Coordinates of all heavy atoms in Angstrom, one line a residue:
M1 N 47.0 -17.5 -1.4 CA 48.0 -17.2 -2.4 C 48.6 -18.5 -2.8 O 48.9 -19.4 -2.0 CB 49.0 -16.3 -1.7 CG 50.1 -15.9 -2.7 SD 51.1 -14.6 -1.9 CE 52.7 -15.1 -2.4
I2 N 48.8 -18.6 -4.1 CA 49.3 -19.8 -4.7 C 50.8 -19.6 -4.9 O 51.2 -18.6 -5.4 CB 48.6 -20.2 -6.0 CG1 47.1 -20.4 -5.7 CG2 49.3 -21.4 -6.7 CD1 46.3 -20.6 -7.0
Y3 N 51.6 -20.6 -4.5 CA 53.1 -20.5 -4.6 C 53.4 -20.8 -6.0 O 53.0 -21.8 -6.6 CB 53.8 -21.5 -3.6 CG 55.3 -21.5 -3.8 CD1 56.0 -20.5 -3.4 CD2 55.9 -22.6 -4.5 CE1 57.4 -20.5 -3.6 CE2 57.2 -22.6 -4.6 CZ 58.0 -21.6 -4.2 OH 59.3 -21.6 -4.4
A4 N 54.2 -20.0 -6.6 CA 54.8 -20.2 -8.0 C 56.3 -20.2 -7.8 O 56.9 -19.2 -7.3 CB 54.4 -19.1 -8.9
P5 N 57.0 -21.3 -8.2 CA 58.4 -21.4 -8.0 C 59.1 -20.3 -8.7 O 58.8 -19.9 -9.8 CB 58.8 -22.7 -8.6 CG 57.5 -23.5 -8.6 CD 56.4 -22.5 -8.7
N6 N 60.0 -19.6 -8.0 CA 60.9 -18.6 -8.6 C 62.3 -18.8 -8.0 O 62.5 -18.4 -6.8 CB 60.3 -17.2 -8.2 CG 61.1 -16.1 -8.8 OD1 62.2 -16.3 -9.2 ND2 60.5 -14.9 -8.8
S7 N 63.2 -19.5 -8.7 CA 64.4 -19.8 -8.1 C 65.3 -18.7 -7.7 O 66.0 -18.7 -6.7 CB 65.2 -20.7 -9.1 OG 65.5 -20.0 -10.3
A8 N 65.2 -17.6 -8.4 CA 66.0 -16.4 -8.1 C 65.5 -15.8 -6.7 O 66.3 -15.5 -5.8 CB 65.9 -15.3 -9.1
A9 N 64.2 -15.7 -6.6 CA 63.6 -15.2 -5.3 C 63.9 -16.1 -4.2 O 64.2 -15.7 -3.0 CB 62.1 -14.9 -5.5
D10 N 63.7 -17.5 -4.4 CA 64.0 -18.5 -3.4 C 65.4 -18.4 -2.9 O 65.7 -18.5 -1.8 CB 63.6 -19.9 -3.9 CG 62.1 -20.1 -4.1 OD1 61.3 -19.2 -3.6 OD2 61.8 -21.0 -4.8
R11 N 66.3 -18.3 -3.9 CA 67.7 -18.2 -3.5 C 68.1 -17.0 -2.7 O 68.8 -17.0 -1.7 CB 68.6 -18.2 -4.8 CG 70.0 -18.5 -4.6 CD 70.8 -18.6 -5.9 NE 70.1 -19.3 -7.0 CZ 69.6 -18.7 -8.1 NH1 69.9 -17.4 -8.3 NH2 69.0 -19.3 -9.1
Q12 N 67.5 -15.8 -3.1 CA 67.7 -14.6 -2.3 C 67.1 -14.7 -0.9 O 67.7 -14.3 0.0 CB 67.0 -13.4 -3.1 CG 67.3 -12.1 -2.4 CD 66.6 -11.0 -3.2 OE1 65.8 -11.2 -4.1 NE2 66.9 -9.7 -2.8
L13 N 65.9 -15.3 -0.8 CA 65.3 -15.5 0.5 C 66.1 -16.5 1.4 O 66.3 -16.2 2.6 CB 63.9 -16.1 0.4 CG 63.1 -16.3 1.6 CD1 62.9 -15.0 2.4 CD2 61.8 -16.9 1.3
L14 N 66.7 -17.5 0.8 CA 67.5 -18.5 1.5 C 68.8 -17.8 2.0 O 69.2 -18.0 3.2 CB 67.8 -19.7 0.7 CG 68.6 -20.8 1.3 CD1 67.8 -21.3 2.5 CD2 68.8 -21.9 0.3
N15 N 69.4 -17.0 1.2 CA 70.6 -16.3 1.6 C 70.3 -15.3 2.7 O 71.1 -15.2 3.6 CB 71.2 -15.5 0.3 CG 71.9 -16.5 -0.6 OD1 72.3 -17.6 -0.3 ND2 72.0 -16.1 -1.9
H16 N 69.2 -14.6 2.5 CA 68.9 -13.6 3.6 C 68.6 -14.4 4.9 O 69.0 -13.9 6.0 CB 67.6 -12.8 3.2 CG 67.2 -11.8 4.1 ND1 67.9 -10.7 4.4 CD2 66.1 -11.7 4.9 CE1 67.3 -9.9 5.3 NE2 66.2 -10.5 5.6
S17 N 67.9 -15.5 4.9 CA 67.6 -16.3 6.1 C 68.9 -16.8 6.7 O 69.1 -16.7 7.9 CB 66.7 -17.5 5.7 OG 65.5 -17.0 5.3
R18 N 69.9 -17.2 5.9 CA 71.1 -17.7 6.5 C 71.9 -16.6 7.1 O 72.5 -16.7 8.2 CB 72.0 -18.3 5.3 CG 71.5 -19.6 4.9 CD 72.3 -20.2 3.8 NE 71.9 -21.5 3.4 CZ 72.0 -22.0 2.1 NH1 72.6 -21.3 1.2 NH2 71.5 -23.2 1.9
A19 N 71.9 -15.4 6.5 CA 72.5 -14.2 7.1 C 71.9 -13.9 8.5 O 72.6 -13.6 9.4 CB 72.5 -13.0 6.2
L20 N 70.6 -13.9 8.5 CA 69.9 -13.6 9.8 C 70.3 -14.7 10.9 O 70.5 -14.3 12.0 CB 68.4 -13.6 9.6 CG 67.8 -12.4 8.8 CD1 66.3 -12.6 8.6 CD2 68.1 -11.1 9.6
V21 N 70.3 -15.9 10.5 CA 70.7 -16.9 11.5 C 72.1 -16.7 11.9 O 72.4 -16.8 13.1 CB 70.5 -18.3 10.9 CG1 71.1 -19.4 11.7 CG2 69.0 -18.6 10.6
R22 N 73.1 -16.4 11.0 CA 74.4 -16.1 11.4 C 74.5 -15.0 12.4 O 75.2 -15.1 13.4 CB 75.3 -15.9 10.2 CG 75.8 -17.1 9.5 CD 76.9 -16.8 8.5 NE 76.4 -16.0 7.4 CZ 75.9 -16.4 6.3 NH1 75.7 -17.7 6.1 NH2 75.5 -15.6 5.3
R23 N 73.8 -13.9 12.1 CA 73.8 -12.7 13.0 C 73.2 -13.1 14.4 O 73.7 -12.7 15.5 CB 73.0 -11.6 12.5 CG 73.9 -10.8 11.4 CD 73.1 -9.5 11.0 NE 73.0 -9.6 9.6 CZ 72.0 -9.1 8.9 NH1 71.0 -8.5 9.5 NH2 71.9 -9.3 7.6
A24 N 72.1 -13.9 14.4 CA 71.5 -14.3 15.7 C 72.4 -15.1 16.5 O 72.5 -15.0 17.7 CB 70.2 -15.0 15.4
M25 N 73.1 -16.1 15.8 CA 74.1 -16.9 16.6 C 75.2 -16.1 17.1 O 75.7 -16.4 18.2 CB 74.5 -18.0 15.6 CG 73.5 -19.1 15.2 SD 72.7 -19.8 16.6 CE 74.0 -20.8 17.2
A26 N 75.7 -15.2 16.4 CA 76.8 -14.3 16.9 C 76.3 -13.5 18.1 O 77.0 -13.4 19.1 CB 77.2 -13.3 15.8
L27 N 75.1 -13.0 18.1 CA 74.5 -12.3 19.2 C 74.4 -13.2 20.5 O 74.7 -12.8 21.6 CB 73.2 -11.7 18.9 CG 73.2 -10.4 18.1 CD1 71.7 -10.1 17.7 CD2 73.8 -9.3 18.8
L28 N 74.0 -14.4 20.2 CA 73.9 -15.4 21.3 C 75.2 -15.7 21.9 O 75.4 -15.8 23.1 CB 73.2 -16.7 20.8 CG 71.7 -16.6 20.7 CD1 71.2 -17.9 20.0 CD2 71.0 -16.4 22.0
R29 N 76.2 -15.9 21.1 CA 77.6 -16.1 21.6 C 78.1 -15.0 22.4 O 78.8 -15.1 23.4 CB 78.5 -16.4 20.4 CG 78.4 -17.9 19.9 CD 79.5 -18.2 19.0 NE 79.5 -17.4 17.8 CZ 78.8 -17.8 16.7 NH1 78.1 -18.8 16.6 NH2 78.8 -17.0 15.6
K30 N 77.8 -13.8 22.0 CA 78.3 -12.6 22.7 C 77.6 -12.3 24.0 O 78.1 -11.6 24.8 CB 78.2 -11.3 21.8 CG 79.2 -11.4 20.6 CD 79.0 -10.2 19.7 CE 80.0 -10.2 18.5 NZ 79.7 -9.1 17.6
S31 N 76.4 -12.8 24.1 CA 75.5 -12.5 25.3 C 75.6 -13.6 26.4 O 75.0 -13.5 27.4 CB 74.1 -12.3 24.9 OG 73.5 -13.5 24.4
D32 N 76.5 -14.6 26.1 CA 76.6 -15.7 27.1 C 76.9 -15.2 28.5 O 76.3 -15.8 29.5 CB 77.6 -16.7 26.6 CG 77.6 -18.0 27.5 OD1 76.5 -18.6 27.7 OD2 78.7 -18.3 28.1
H33 N 77.8 -14.3 28.7 CA 78.1 -13.8 30.1 C 76.9 -13.2 30.7 O 76.7 -13.3 32.0 CB 79.3 -12.9 30.0 CG 79.0 -11.6 29.2 ND1 78.9 -11.6 27.8 CD2 78.7 -10.4 29.7 CE1 78.6 -10.3 27.5 NE2 78.5 -9.6 28.5
L34 N 76.0 -12.5 30.0 CA 74.8 -12.0 30.6 C 73.8 -13.1 31.0 O 73.3 -13.1 32.1 CB 74.1 -11.0 29.6 CG 74.9 -9.8 29.2 CD1 74.2 -9.0 28.1 CD2 75.1 -8.9 30.4
V35 N 73.7 -14.0 30.1 CA 72.7 -15.1 30.3 C 73.2 -16.0 31.5 O 72.4 -16.3 32.3 CB 72.5 -16.0 29.1 CG1 71.7 -17.1 29.3 CG2 71.9 -15.1 28.0
R36 N 74.5 -16.2 31.6 CA 75.0 -17.0 32.7 C 74.7 -16.4 34.0 O 74.3 -17.1 35.0 CB 76.5 -17.2 32.5 CG 77.1 -18.3 33.4 CD 78.6 -18.6 33.1 NE 78.9 -18.4 31.7 CZ 79.9 -17.7 31.2 NH1 80.6 -16.9 32.0 NH2 80.2 -17.6 29.9
A37 N 74.9 -15.1 34.1 CA 74.7 -14.4 35.4 C 73.2 -14.4 35.8 O 72.8 -14.6 36.9 CB 75.2 -13.0 35.3
Q38 N 72.4 -14.2 34.8 CA 70.9 -14.2 35.0 C 70.5 -15.6 35.4 O 69.6 -15.8 36.3 CB 70.2 -13.7 33.8 CG 70.4 -12.2 33.6 CD 69.7 -11.8 32.2 OE1 69.5 -12.6 31.3 NE2 69.5 -10.5 32.1
R39 N 71.0 -16.6 34.8 CA 70.6 -18.0 35.1 C 71.0 -18.3 36.5 O 70.2 -19.0 37.2 CB 71.3 -18.9 34.1 CG 70.6 -20.3 34.0 CD 71.3 -21.1 32.9 NE 71.1 -20.6 31.6 CZ 72.1 -20.4 30.7 NH1 73.3 -20.8 31.0 NH2 71.8 -19.8 29.5
L40 N 72.2 -17.9 37.0 CA 72.6 -18.1 38.3 C 71.7 -17.4 39.3 O 71.3 -18.1 40.3 CB 74.0 -17.6 38.5 CG 74.6 -17.6 40.0 CD1 74.7 -19.0 40.5 CD2 75.9 -16.9 40.0
R41 N 71.3 -16.2 39.0 CA 70.4 -15.5 39.9 C 69.0 -16.2 40.0 O 68.5 -16.5 41.1 CB 70.1 -14.1 39.4 CG 69.3 -13.3 40.3 CD 68.7 -12.1 39.6 NE 67.9 -12.5 38.5 CZ 67.7 -11.8 37.4 NH1 68.3 -10.6 37.3 NH2 66.9 -12.3 36.4
D42 N 68.5 -16.7 38.8 CA 67.2 -17.4 38.8 C 67.3 -18.7 39.6 O 66.4 -19.1 40.3 CB 66.8 -17.7 37.4 CG 66.4 -16.4 36.6 OD1 66.2 -15.3 37.3 OD2 66.4 -16.4 35.4
E43 N 68.4 -19.4 39.4 CA 68.6 -20.7 40.2 C 68.6 -20.5 41.7 O 68.0 -21.2 42.4 CB 69.9 -21.4 39.7 CG 69.8 -22.0 38.3 CD 71.1 -22.5 37.8 OE1 72.1 -22.6 38.6 OE2 71.2 -23.0 36.6
L44 N 69.3 -19.4 42.1 CA 69.4 -19.1 43.5 C 68.0 -18.7 44.0 O 67.6 -19.1 45.2 CB 70.4 -18.0 43.8 CG 71.9 -18.4 43.5 CD1 72.7 -17.2 43.6 CD2 72.3 -19.5 44.5
E45 N 67.3 -18.0 43.3 CA 65.9 -17.6 43.7 C 65.0 -18.8 43.8 O 64.2 -19.0 44.8 CB 65.3 -16.6 42.8 CG 66.0 -15.2 42.9 CD 65.4 -14.2 41.9 OE1 64.7 -14.6 40.9 OE2 65.8 -13.0 42.0
E46 N 65.1 -19.7 42.8 CA 64.3 -20.9 42.8 C 64.7 -21.8 44.0 O 63.8 -22.4 44.7 CB 64.5 -21.7 41.5 CG 63.7 -23.0 41.4 CD 62.2 -22.7 41.4 OE1 61.8 -21.6 40.9 OE2 61.4 -23.6 41.8
E47 N 66.0 -21.9 44.3 CA 66.4 -22.7 45.5 C 65.9 -22.1 46.8 O 65.4 -22.8 47.6 CB 68.0 -22.7 45.5 CG 68.5 -23.4 46.8 CD 70.1 -23.2 46.8 OE1 70.7 -23.3 45.7 OE2 70.6 -23.0 47.9
Q48 N 65.8 -20.8 46.9 CA 65.3 -20.2 48.1 C 63.8 -20.4 48.2 O 63.2 -20.6 49.3 CB 65.6 -18.7 48.1 CG 67.0 -18.3 48.4 CD 67.2 -16.8 48.5 OE1 66.4 -16.0 48.0 NE2 68.3 -16.5 49.1
R49 N 63.1 -20.4 47.1 CA 61.6 -20.7 47.1 C 61.4 -22.1 47.5 O 60.4 -22.4 48.3 CB 61.1 -20.4 45.7 CG 60.2 -19.2 45.6 CD 59.5 -19.1 44.3 NE 60.5 -19.3 43.3 CZ 60.9 -18.4 42.3 NH1 60.4 -17.4 42.2 NH2 61.8 -18.5 41.5
K50 N 62.2 -23.0 47.0 CA 61.9 -24.5 47.3 C 62.2 -24.8 48.8 O 61.5 -25.5 49.4 CB 62.8 -25.4 46.4 CG 62.3 -25.5 45.0 CD 63.2 -26.4 44.2 CE 62.8 -26.5 42.8 NZ 63.6 -27.4 42.0
T51 N 63.2 -24.2 49.3 CA 63.5 -24.4 50.7 C 62.7 -23.6 51.7 O 62.8 -23.8 52.9 CB 65.0 -24.2 51.0 OG1 65.4 -22.8 50.7 CG2 65.9 -25.1 50.2
G52 N 62.0 -22.6 51.2 CA 61.2 -21.8 52.0 C 62.0 -20.7 52.7 O 61.5 -20.0 53.6
R53 N 63.2 -20.6 52.4 CA 64.1 -19.6 53.1 C 63.8 -18.2 52.5 O 63.7 -18.1 51.3 CB 65.6 -19.9 52.9 CG 66.0 -21.1 53.7 CD 67.5 -21.4 53.6 NE 68.2 -20.4 52.8 CZ 69.2 -20.6 52.0 NH1 69.8 -21.7 52.0 NH2 69.8 -19.6 51.4
R54 N 63.7 -17.3 53.3 CA 63.6 -15.9 52.9 C 64.7 -15.1 53.5 O 65.0 -15.3 54.7 CB 62.2 -15.3 53.3 CG 61.0 -16.0 52.8 CD 60.8 -15.4 51.4 NE 59.5 -16.0 50.9 CZ 59.5 -16.6 49.7 NH1 60.5 -16.6 48.9 NH2 58.3 -17.1 49.3
P55 N 65.4 -14.3 52.8 CA 66.4 -13.4 53.4 C 65.8 -12.5 54.5 O 64.7 -12.0 54.3 CB 67.0 -12.6 52.3 CG 66.4 -13.1 51.0 CD 65.2 -14.0 51.4
D56 N 66.5 -12.5 55.6 CA 66.0 -11.6 56.7 C 66.0 -10.2 56.3 O 67.0 -9.7 55.8 CB 66.9 -11.8 58.0 CG 66.4 -11.1 59.2 OD1 65.2 -10.6 59.2 OD2 67.2 -11.1 60.2
A57 N 64.9 -9.5 56.5 CA 64.8 -8.1 56.1 C 65.8 -7.2 56.8 O 66.3 -6.2 56.3 CB 63.4 -7.5 56.4
A58 N 66.2 -7.6 58.1 CA 67.1 -6.8 58.8 C 68.6 -7.1 58.5 O 69.5 -6.4 58.8 CB 66.9 -7.0 60.3
A59 N 68.8 -8.2 57.8 CA 70.2 -8.7 57.5 C 70.7 -7.8 56.3 O 70.0 -7.2 55.5 CB 70.2 -10.1 57.1
D60 N 72.0 -7.8 56.3 CA 72.7 -7.1 55.2 C 72.5 -7.8 53.9 O 72.7 -9.0 53.8 CB 74.2 -7.0 55.5 CG 75.0 -6.2 54.5 OD1 74.4 -5.6 53.6 OD2 76.2 -6.3 54.6
P61 N 71.9 -7.2 52.8 CA 71.6 -7.9 51.6 C 72.8 -8.5 50.9 O 72.7 -9.4 50.1 CB 70.9 -6.8 50.7 CG 71.2 -5.5 51.4 CD 71.5 -5.8 52.8
D62 N 74.0 -7.9 51.2 CA 75.2 -8.5 50.6 C 75.5 -9.9 51.1 O 76.3 -10.6 50.5 CB 76.4 -7.6 50.9 CG 76.4 -6.3 50.1 OD1 75.6 -6.2 49.1 OD2 77.1 -5.4 50.5
Q63 N 74.9 -10.3 52.2 CA 75.1 -11.6 52.7 C 74.4 -12.7 52.0 O 74.6 -13.9 52.0 CB 74.8 -11.7 54.2 CG 75.6 -10.7 55.1 CD 77.0 -11.0 55.0 OE1 77.4 -12.2 55.0 NE2 77.8 -10.0 54.9
S64 N 73.4 -12.3 51.3 CA 72.5 -13.2 50.5 C 73.2 -13.5 49.2 O 73.6 -12.7 48.4 CB 71.2 -12.6 50.3 OG 70.5 -13.3 49.3
R65 N 73.3 -14.8 48.9 CA 73.9 -15.2 47.6 C 73.0 -14.7 46.4 O 73.6 -14.3 45.4 CB 73.9 -16.7 47.4 CG 75.0 -17.3 48.4 CD 75.1 -18.8 48.1 NE 73.8 -19.5 48.2 CZ 73.7 -20.7 47.8 NH1 74.6 -21.4 47.2 NH2 72.5 -21.3 47.9
C66 N 71.7 -14.6 46.6 CA 70.8 -14.1 45.6 C 71.1 -12.6 45.3 O 71.2 -12.1 44.2 CB 69.4 -14.3 46.0 SG 68.2 -13.8 44.7
A67 N 71.3 -11.8 46.4 CA 71.6 -10.4 46.3 C 73.0 -10.3 45.5 O 73.1 -9.4 44.7 CB 71.7 -9.8 47.6
K68 N 73.9 -11.1 45.8 CA 75.2 -11.0 45.2 C 75.1 -11.3 43.7 O 75.7 -10.6 42.8 CB 76.3 -12.0 45.8 CG 76.7 -11.5 47.2 CD 77.7 -12.5 47.8 CE 78.1 -12.0 49.1 NZ 79.1 -13.0 49.8
A69 N 74.3 -12.3 43.3 CA 74.1 -12.6 41.9 C 73.4 -11.5 41.2 O 73.7 -11.1 40.1 CB 73.3 -13.9 41.8
S70 N 72.4 -10.9 41.9 CA 71.7 -9.8 41.3 C 72.6 -8.6 41.0 O 72.6 -7.9 40.0 CB 70.5 -9.3 42.1 OG 69.6 -10.3 42.2
Q71 N 73.5 -8.3 42.0 CA 74.5 -7.3 41.9 C 75.4 -7.5 40.7 O 75.8 -6.6 40.0 CB 75.2 -7.0 43.2 CG 74.4 -6.4 44.3 CD 75.1 -6.4 45.6 OE1 76.2 -7.0 45.7 NE2 74.4 -5.8 46.6
A72 N 75.8 -8.8 40.6 CA 76.7 -9.1 39.5 C 76.0 -8.9 38.1 O 76.6 -8.4 37.2 CB 77.1 -10.6 39.6
V73 N 74.8 -9.3 38.0 CA 74.0 -9.1 36.8 C 73.9 -7.6 36.5 O 74.2 -7.1 35.3 CB 72.6 -9.7 36.9 CG1 71.8 -9.2 35.7 CG2 72.7 -11.2 36.9
T74 N 73.6 -6.8 37.5 CA 73.5 -5.3 37.3 C 74.9 -4.8 36.8 O 74.9 -3.9 36.0 CB 73.1 -4.7 38.6 OG1 71.8 -5.2 39.0 CG2 73.0 -3.2 38.4
A75 N 76.0 -5.2 37.5 CA 77.3 -4.7 37.1 C 77.6 -5.0 35.7 O 78.2 -4.2 34.9 CB 78.3 -5.3 38.1
I76 N 77.3 -6.3 35.3 CA 77.6 -6.7 33.9 C 76.8 -5.8 32.9 O 77.3 -5.4 31.9 CB 77.3 -8.2 33.7 CG1 78.3 -9.0 34.5 CG2 77.3 -8.6 32.3 CD1 78.0 -10.5 34.6
H77 N 75.5 -5.6 33.2 CA 74.7 -4.8 32.3 C 75.2 -3.4 32.2 O 75.3 -2.8 31.1 CB 73.2 -4.7 32.9 CG 72.4 -5.9 32.5 ND1 72.0 -6.2 31.3 CD2 72.0 -7.0 33.3 CE1 71.3 -7.4 31.3 NE2 71.3 -7.8 32.5
R78 N 75.7 -2.8 33.3 CA 76.2 -1.5 33.3 C 77.5 -1.4 32.5 O 77.8 -0.5 31.7 CB 76.5 -1.0 34.7 CG 75.3 -0.6 35.4 CD 75.6 0.0 36.8 NE 74.3 0.3 37.5 CZ 74.2 0.2 38.8 NH1 75.2 -0.2 39.6 NH2 73.1 0.5 39.4
A79 N 78.4 -2.4 32.6 CA 79.6 -2.5 31.9 C 79.4 -2.7 30.4 O 80.1 -2.0 29.6 CB 80.5 -3.6 32.4
T80 N 78.4 -3.5 30.0 CA 78.2 -3.7 28.6 C 77.4 -2.5 28.0 O 77.5 -2.3 26.8 CB 77.4 -5.0 28.3 OG1 76.2 -5.0 29.1 CG2 78.3 -6.2 28.7
A81 N 76.7 -1.8 28.8 CA 75.9 -0.7 28.2 C 76.8 0.6 28.0 O 76.5 1.4 27.1 CB 74.8 -0.3 29.2
A82 N 77.9 0.6 28.7 CA 78.8 1.8 28.5 C 79.6 1.8 27.2 O 79.6 0.9 26.4 CB 79.8 1.8 29.7

């Protein structure tokens, strides 16, 4: 397909693109609390993998920092879904 300049169509496309970017940025700003909790959980899991530590199966899962972070992520998802 050969491009033929069309200033009206180009202007409309540019405006639509800017609107999409504004909406996407607003969504990102509103989802920061979810991303932060997930990032914390991922960092804790990575730390456990690097140190070779595994939570004891018989231990209370609430004692694990990773379990607490996962519970926090779940609670946030439930609160925002309601």
Side-chain angles (χ1 to χ4, degrees):
M1 183 168 139
I2 298 174
Y3 175 74
N6 182 344
S7 61
D10 290 344
R11 195 174 323 111
Q12 184 179 10
L13 181 62
L14 185 59
N15 288 335
H16 183 68
S17 296
R18 286 179 180 150
L20 287 174
V21 169
R22 278 194 292 275
R23 280 190 238 145
M25 294 303 292
L27 284 172
L28 283 173
R29 282 192 292 274
K30 290 178 183 176
S31 67
D32 185 53
H33 62 286
L34 296 174
V35 175
R36 193 176 323 126
Q38 290 173 339
R39 202 174 294 131
L40 172 64
R41 184 197 62 210
D42 293 345
E43 287 173 6
L44 291 172
E45 288 175 352
E46 182 66 25
E47 177 184 317
Q48 285 183 344
R49 251 188 309 246
K50 284 181 181 178
T51 60
R53 289 183 3 207
R54 298 276 186 231
D56 186 10
D60 183 7
D62 288 341
Q63 299 301 317
S64 166
R65 290 187 305 166
C66 185
K68 288 181 182 179
S70 293
Q71 289 172 355
V73 170
T74 303
I76 290 170
H77 281 288
R78 286 183 183 149
T80 56

